[in-house]
Amino acid sequence: MPSIAAARSSPMPMVNGDVSSPHKRRLRSNSASFDDPVCNTPAKSCSSLKSKSPRRSVNDSPNRSRSNVETGVSLLKLKNSPRKKLLDSILDKPIWNPTDSEQLSVVKEALHVSTAPTMIVCREDEQKRIVEFCKQCVEQEKAGSLYICGCPGTGKSLSMENVKGCLAGWAKETGGQLPDILAINCTSFSNTSEIFNKILEKSKPNKKVNGRSTALKQLQQMYSQKQQSADTKMMLVIADELDYLITKDRVVLHDLFMLTTLPFSKVILIGIANAIDLADRFLPKLQSLNCKPAVVSFRAYSMDQIIMILKQRLMALPYTVFQPQALELCARKVAATSGDMRKALGICRGAIEMLETELRESTCTSTLTSMVRVDHMAIALSRAYKSPIVDTIQSLPQHQQIVLCSVVKLFRKGKKDTTIGELNKFYIDICKSTLIPPVGIMELSCMCRVLGDQGILKLGQSRDDKLRRVTLQVDEADISFALQGIRFFRNCLQ
Amino acid sequence: MKIQRTVEEAIVLLRKRLCDPDFIFSLFSDSPDSNYSKLKFIVSSSVTEACNNSILLLGPRGCGKNAVLDLVLEDLLKEYPDMISVIKLNGLLHCDDNCALKEIARQLCIEHELMFSKMASSDDNSQFMIAMLRECGLAHKTVVFVLDEFDLFAQGKQRLLYSLLDAMQSVSSQAVVIGISCRLDADQLLEKRVRSRFSHRKLLFLPPQKDDLQRLLKHILLLPTDSTLPHDYVTDFNSRISNIIADKKFNEIIDKLTDADCTVSNFVRFLFSAVCCIDSKSGYMTLENFKSALSTVQRQPKLDCLKDCSILELYIMVCIRRLEFKEQESYNFNSVMKEYKTIYDSVQNVDNYSRNVCLRVPKSRG
């Protein structure tokens, strides 16, 4: 791609360029640099946060001009308080100007999920293990299998990209042979056995696929005999979202891992999935053959790790965007719920948008520089984790609220489902108690259908409308909470 | 004659307004807090900043999700021509992954004036989609995917959602995925890895409150003063409408309507039948128009059926009802006749129908 190649040749581009798009392209190409072996980044990253001066961090991101550097240095304040040692480098930078659209877009891009960070922190151990495993297999020319598991958003695919770069660097250094790398996402297969076609194609690109036997049989044949040519390379197969290959008889998954057990196999298999016990549950035979895959588990991020990753992303910017307490609040909440990095990044971007709307609406422009505060982060967090159920119930029309109320009262007696006919009787009782004229049963079943569409109730099928079964999909406590503002319902639901 | 033509013109104008969702929902788009401005901000910032985004529009049916989205897309296509292409999918039509990929490929081909081959396999289609996303990303064109009935896409293995959202994780593509659903828990239906890739942004569309409904009423029904209609007719019409709105009985009618169903589409339907009831001789709307419209919208077909019953049929209905009160769930003809006899015995001046006549009733009434 010519545009990106041109960007690499000029490290110090024009900042005040009239076109914003080439600027954006450069930023991406520079941040997604896979050539630099960044595998050997131990806990030094922590100390580098303290010792790195703002000047050096400014130079790292090529899109800042010299003038900003001068102002940044002049505003340096030496903070020696032990409490905020780690946050020193953040607070020493000038506060950003959110009304400047260029700064805004740069910050948002730095926090976007698709931007790969320059340095991958908090995953050094796992990456080291994977790289050691690959190196071992390549050096000994032995096949092997590895299984990577972890919740979504824990950095598995990101680390694999890094590992690929590491291996390339190592091969160049030692002059050894770089294995063929085949990275596939198993969701793209309509037929699960196509994975063997892909492996066969990659290992023997020139050979025509033999129509008589399947790709799997050919591979098995190939790996059971000693190869004629002595310089066949090892092949690293990275299978992402491995659980899509699980069929009812689990044959494909078994055969895939069994390929690595054949005597002359050249396949190094790395499977990535979410389930921790995939190997145990679906590959019991491998245990008996004594070639169970090693397991590297990527645990969910803890609060400190999330803060570290967020800071590392914001490190490249020459100004502070967030108040440290805001970052801490976000990390704490996300770590407590899922430990998913994508969610944390999304919430940070949401907090920036809260700041934007606040500045747009406020008339006083006295504070042109303002950081993202804890209250912005709190609003963004509540938006992310709030369920729309309570709001929707509060805005339902009156009769539908009465229907919900009667469902709750009916289910309090211990039953968990009922029919529309029975519900009608309860509903008429409640309406009579407040002198509201009840609607007919046809309207009632219509309203139940509307509530079922929205996911609040669940309606069964039946020939007769009156006999359709009704169950509650929403928590009873949510309904009581939502309706507590209206006195009638409060008394009713007591 | 002239008055008739004026009245017809006025009725046509009102009906045209009621059938145009853009006109109806543009009223709610002014405030910065409205869903229109929030949605527009998100999509336009994705276009200008060239980043990927995803959002879910939730709310009961008839609250304007599709209408507001169409408004937003129309405005953005005018603001940024040639920078946005829109792909629309519907969960009722395209819930099968192969079908959906084919439709995406077909719409992309139409947008970019390429030839679409019906023979392409689903692999070809998905590779085409990924290649097109990359090309559009390089050309700084944002592709907006609109997934209607989003909860239906979340059935099965969710391959389509996964491949769309995964394509958005890469740097080379520029896409916005907008999901529209009436199920409030639509994002809980997603698999955890699809949910992780889908951003948490949700916009809730709620039915309007009472004062918003009043504003909508005035917005639709008050005739514009700068139209081709004669000025005095317009002022007369508008003053009568204002009088009706201030009337307490009118508010009761509106309350009765919104107590059962307060969505905008139901309200618009009610106004449409009210407008159709305008008497062409008088030429103005009256309270009676609204009353008859309410009875058309809130029909009780079984009650209408009962009005036509003969007296004997009514007697039989009453007997069955009395049996129901006595907690008898099922009844046959003999038990009904016994009940009828007890009524006849207790109240002397009830008509006495013989058994043979009564036998004919159930056959005619079904």
PDB file of all heavy atoms in Angstrom, chain B residues 241-257:
ATOM      1  N   ILE B 241     -59.537  24.404  16.594  1.00  0.00           N
ATOM      2  CA  ILE B 241     -58.681  23.315  17.097  1.00  0.00           C
ATOM      3  C   ILE B 241     -58.201  23.684  18.507  1.00  0.00           C
ATOM      4  O   ILE B 241     -58.219  22.842  19.424  1.00  0.00           O
ATOM      5  CB  ILE B 241     -57.488  23.091  16.168  1.00  0.00           C
ATOM      6  CG1 ILE B 241     -57.955  22.579  14.825  1.00  0.00           C
ATOM      7  CG2 ILE B 241     -56.495  22.149  16.790  1.00  0.00           C
ATOM      8  CD1 ILE B 241     -58.133  21.096  14.743  1.00  0.00           C
ATOM      9  N   SER B 242     -57.761  24.921  18.698  1.00  0.00           N
ATOM     10  CA  SER B 242     -57.251  25.315  20.024  1.00  0.00           C
ATOM     11  C   SER B 242     -58.340  25.191  21.071  1.00  0.00           C
ATOM     12  O   SER B 242     -58.088  24.775  22.203  1.00  0.00           O
ATOM     13  CB  SER B 242     -56.729  26.746  19.988  1.00  0.00           C
ATOM     14  OG  SER B 242     -55.983  26.958  18.840  1.00  0.00           O
ATOM     15  N   ASN B 243     -59.604  25.557  20.692  1.00  0.00           N
ATOM     16  CA  ASN B 243     -60.705  25.427  21.644  1.00  0.00           C
ATOM     17  C   ASN B 243     -60.922  23.984  22.026  1.00  0.00           C
ATOM     18  O   ASN B 243     -61.130  23.660  23.197  1.00  0.00           O
ATOM     19  CB  ASN B 243     -61.991  25.987  21.040  1.00  0.00           C
ATOM     20  CG  ASN B 243     -61.949  27.488  20.975  1.00  0.00           C
ATOM     21  OD1 ASN B 243     -61.143  28.111  21.659  1.00  0.00           O
ATOM     22  ND2 ASN B 243     -62.795  28.069  20.141  1.00  0.00           N
ATOM     23  N   ILE B 244     -60.863  23.103  21.029  1.00  0.00           N
ATOM     24  CA  ILE B 244     -61.100  21.679  21.308  1.00  0.00           C
ATOM     25  C   ILE B 244     -60.020  21.156  22.256  1.00  0.00           C
ATOM     26  O   ILE B 244     -60.297  20.416  23.207  1.00  0.00           O
ATOM     27  CB  ILE B 244     -61.110  20.861  20.002  1.00  0.00           C
ATOM     28  CG1 ILE B 244     -62.306  21.237  19.151  1.00  0.00           C
ATOM     29  CG2 ILE B 244     -61.136  19.378  20.313  1.00  0.00           C
ATOM     30  CD1 ILE B 244     -62.346  20.501  17.827  1.00  0.00           C
ATOM     31  N   ILE B 245     -58.766  21.571  21.972  1.00  0.00           N
ATOM     32  CA  ILE B 245     -57.663  21.047  22.787  1.00  0.00           C
ATOM     33  C   ILE B 245     -57.822  21.473  24.240  1.00  0.00           C
ATOM     34  O   ILE B 245     -57.483  20.742  25.169  1.00  0.00           O
ATOM     35  CB  ILE B 245     -56.319  21.522  22.209  1.00  0.00           C
ATOM     36  CG1 ILE B 245     -56.066  20.831  20.867  1.00  0.00           C
ATOM     37  CG2 ILE B 245     -55.178  21.198  23.151  1.00  0.00           C
ATOM     38  CD1 ILE B 245     -54.791  21.258  20.189  1.00  0.00           C
ATOM     39  N   ALA B 246     -58.357  22.667  24.448  1.00  0.00           N
ATOM     40  CA  ALA B 246     -58.490  23.155  25.819  1.00  0.00           C
ATOM     41  C   ALA B 246     -59.671  22.516  26.522  1.00  0.00           C
ATOM     42  O   ALA B 246     -59.816  22.642  27.741  1.00  0.00           O
ATOM     43  CB  ALA B 246     -58.634  24.668  25.799  1.00  0.00           C
ATOM     44  N   ASP B 247     -60.533  21.834  25.787  1.00  0.00           N
ATOM     45  CA  ASP B 247     -61.749  21.259  26.378  1.00  0.00           C
ATOM     46  C   ASP B 247     -61.390  20.069  27.270  1.00  0.00           C
ATOM     47  O   ASP B 247     -60.546  19.254  26.941  1.00  0.00           O
ATOM     48  CB  ASP B 247     -62.676  20.815  25.226  1.00  0.00           C
ATOM     49  CG  ASP B 247     -64.064  20.502  25.705  1.00  0.00           C
ATOM     50  OD1 ASP B 247     -64.272  20.465  26.934  1.00  0.00           O
ATOM     51  OD2 ASP B 247     -64.926  20.297  24.844  1.00  0.00           O
ATOM     52  N   LYS B 248     -62.119  19.959  28.389  1.00  0.00           N
ATOM     53  CA  LYS B 248     -61.809  18.868  29.331  1.00  0.00           C
ATOM     54  C   LYS B 248     -62.200  17.530  28.724  1.00  0.00           C
ATOM     55  O   LYS B 248     -61.534  16.521  28.942  1.00  0.00           O
ATOM     56  CB  LYS B 248     -62.582  19.112  30.630  1.00  0.00           C
ATOM     57  CG  LYS B 248     -61.967  18.398  31.828  1.00  0.00           C
ATOM     58  CD  LYS B 248     -62.648  18.764  33.113  1.00  0.00           C
ATOM     59  CE  LYS B 248     -63.962  18.023  33.180  1.00  0.00           C
ATOM     60  NZ  LYS B 248     -64.270  17.486  34.490  1.00  0.00           N
ATOM     61  N   LYS B 249     -63.300  17.511  27.975  1.00  0.00           N
ATOM     62  CA  LYS B 249     -63.770  16.235  27.424  1.00  0.00           C
ATOM     63  C   LYS B 249     -62.750  15.683  26.438  1.00  0.00           C
ATOM     64  O   LYS B 249     -62.559  14.474  26.336  1.00  0.00           O
ATOM     65  CB  LYS B 249     -65.107  16.418  26.698  1.00  0.00           C
ATOM     66  CG  LYS B 249     -66.240  16.691  27.620  1.00  0.00           C
ATOM     67  CD  LYS B 249     -67.579  16.298  26.995  1.00  0.00           C
ATOM     68  CE  LYS B 249     -68.697  16.965  27.761  1.00  0.00           C
ATOM     69  NZ  LYS B 249     -69.438  17.969  27.011  1.00  0.00           N
ATOM     70  N   PHE B 250     -62.107  16.597  25.705  1.00  0.00           N
ATOM     71  CA  PHE B 250     -61.103  16.153  24.750  1.00  0.00           C
ATOM     72  C   PHE B 250     -59.943  15.477  25.488  1.00  0.00           C
ATOM     73  O   PHE B 250     -59.437  14.442  25.066  1.00  0.00           O
ATOM     74  CB  PHE B 250     -60.601  17.345  23.935  1.00  0.00           C
ATOM     75  CG  PHE B 250     -59.526  16.986  22.973  1.00  0.00           C
ATOM     76  CD1 PHE B 250     -59.824  16.294  21.816  1.00  0.00           C
ATOM     77  CD2 PHE B 250     -58.211  17.319  23.231  1.00  0.00           C
ATOM     78  CE1 PHE B 250     -58.837  15.945  20.931  1.00  0.00           C
ATOM     79  CE2 PHE B 250     -57.214  16.982  22.326  1.00  0.00           C
ATOM     80  CZ  PHE B 250     -57.530  16.294  21.182  1.00  0.00           C
ATOM     81  N   ASN B 251     -59.556  16.087  26.617  1.00  0.00           N
ATOM     82  CA  ASN B 251     -58.466  15.480  27.387  1.00  0.00           C
ATOM     83  C   ASN B 251     -58.848  14.109  27.884  1.00  0.00           C
ATOM     84  O   ASN B 251     -58.026  13.204  27.955  1.00  0.00           O
ATOM     85  CB  ASN B 251     -58.101  16.378  28.571  1.00  0.00           C
ATOM     86  CG  ASN B 251     -57.260  17.545  28.108  1.00  0.00           C
ATOM     87  OD1 ASN B 251     -56.468  17.394  27.185  1.00  0.00           O
ATOM     88  ND2 ASN B 251     -57.438  18.686  28.720  1.00  0.00           N
ATOM     89  N   GLU B 252     -60.151  13.925  28.221  1.00  0.00           N
ATOM     90  CA  GLU B 252     -60.579  12.597  28.656  1.00  0.00           C
ATOM     91  C   GLU B 252     -60.433  11.580  27.538  1.00  0.00           C
ATOM     92  O   GLU B 252     -60.019  10.443  27.760  1.00  0.00           O
ATOM     93  CB  GLU B 252     -62.040  12.641  29.109  1.00  0.00           C
ATOM     94  CG  GLU B 252     -62.195  13.135  30.512  1.00  0.00           C
ATOM     95  CD  GLU B 252     -63.664  13.326  30.861  1.00  0.00           C
ATOM     96  OE1 GLU B 252     -64.532  12.775  30.155  1.00  0.00           O
ATOM     97  OE2 GLU B 252     -63.930  14.019  31.843  1.00  0.00           O
ATOM     98  N   ILE B 253     -60.795  12.028  26.319  1.00  0.00           N
ATOM     99  CA  ILE B 253     -60.677  11.124  25.171  1.00  0.00           C
ATOM    100  C   ILE B 253     -59.220  10.724  24.984  1.00  0.00           C
ATOM    101  O   ILE B 253     -58.893   9.540  24.787  1.00  0.00           O
ATOM    102  CB  ILE B 253     -61.216  11.785  23.882  1.00  0.00           C
ATOM    103  CG1 ILE B 253     -62.689  12.051  24.013  1.00  0.00           C
ATOM    104  CG2 ILE B 253     -60.934  10.920  22.682  1.00  0.00           C
ATOM    105  CD1 ILE B 253     -63.281  12.740  22.817  1.00  0.00           C
ATOM    106  N   ILE B 254     -58.324  11.741  25.029  1.00  0.00           N
ATOM    107  CA  ILE B 254     -56.905  11.444  24.822  1.00  0.00           C
ATOM    108  C   ILE B 254     -56.397  10.521  25.930  1.00  0.00           C
ATOM    109  O   ILE B 254     -55.630   9.586  25.686  1.00  0.00           O
ATOM    110  CB  ILE B 254     -56.087  12.750  24.794  1.00  0.00           C
ATOM    111  CG1 ILE B 254     -56.524  13.596  23.623  1.00  0.00           C
ATOM    112  CG2 ILE B 254     -54.612  12.474  24.707  1.00  0.00           C
ATOM    113  CD1 ILE B 254     -56.094  13.046  22.291  1.00  0.00           C
ATOM    114  N   ASP B 255     -56.852  10.760  27.172  1.00  0.00           N
ATOM    115  CA  ASP B 255     -56.407   9.898  28.268  1.00  0.00           C
ATOM    116  C   ASP B 255     -56.837   8.467  28.035  1.00  0.00           C
ATOM    117  O   ASP B 255     -56.081   7.521  28.237  1.00  0.00           O
ATOM    118  CB  ASP B 255     -57.008  10.387  29.590  1.00  0.00           C
ATOM    119  CG  ASP B 255     -56.230  11.555  30.130  1.00  0.00           C
ATOM    120  OD1 ASP B 255     -55.107  11.768  29.641  1.00  0.00           O
ATOM    121  OD2 ASP B 255     -56.727  12.255  31.025  1.00  0.00           O
ATOM    122  N   LYS B 256     -58.097   8.318  27.583  1.00  0.00           N
ATOM    123  CA  LYS B 256     -58.600   6.968  27.343  1.00  0.00           C
ATOM    124  C   LYS B 256     -57.771   6.269  26.277  1.00  0.00           C
ATOM    125  O   LYS B 256     -57.508   5.071  26.363  1.00  0.00           O
ATOM    126  CB  LYS B 256     -60.058   7.065  26.892  1.00  0.00           C
ATOM    127  CG  LYS B 256     -60.856   5.858  27.210  1.00  0.00           C
ATOM    128  CD  LYS B 256     -62.355   6.142  27.252  1.00  0.00           C
ATOM    129  CE  LYS B 256     -63.063   4.795  27.328  1.00  0.00           C
ATOM    130  NZ  LYS B 256     -64.112   4.635  26.362  1.00  0.00           N
ATOM    131  N   LEU B 257     -57.349   7.040  25.265  1.00  0.00           N
ATOM    132  CA  LEU B 257     -56.554   6.448  24.193  1.00  0.00           C
ATOM    133  C   LEU B 257     -55.183   6.058  24.696  1.00  0.00           C
ATOM    134  O   LEU B 257     -54.700   4.948  24.445  1.00  0.00           O
ATOM    135  CB  LEU B 257     -56.418   7.467  23.049  1.00  0.00           C
ATOM    136  CG  LEU B 257     -55.573   6.997  21.889  1.00  0.00           C
ATOM    137  CD1 LEU B 257     -56.343   6.010  21.066  1.00  0.00           C
ATOM    138  CD2 LEU B 257     -55.162   8.177  21.034  1.00  0.00           C
TER     139      LEU B 257
END
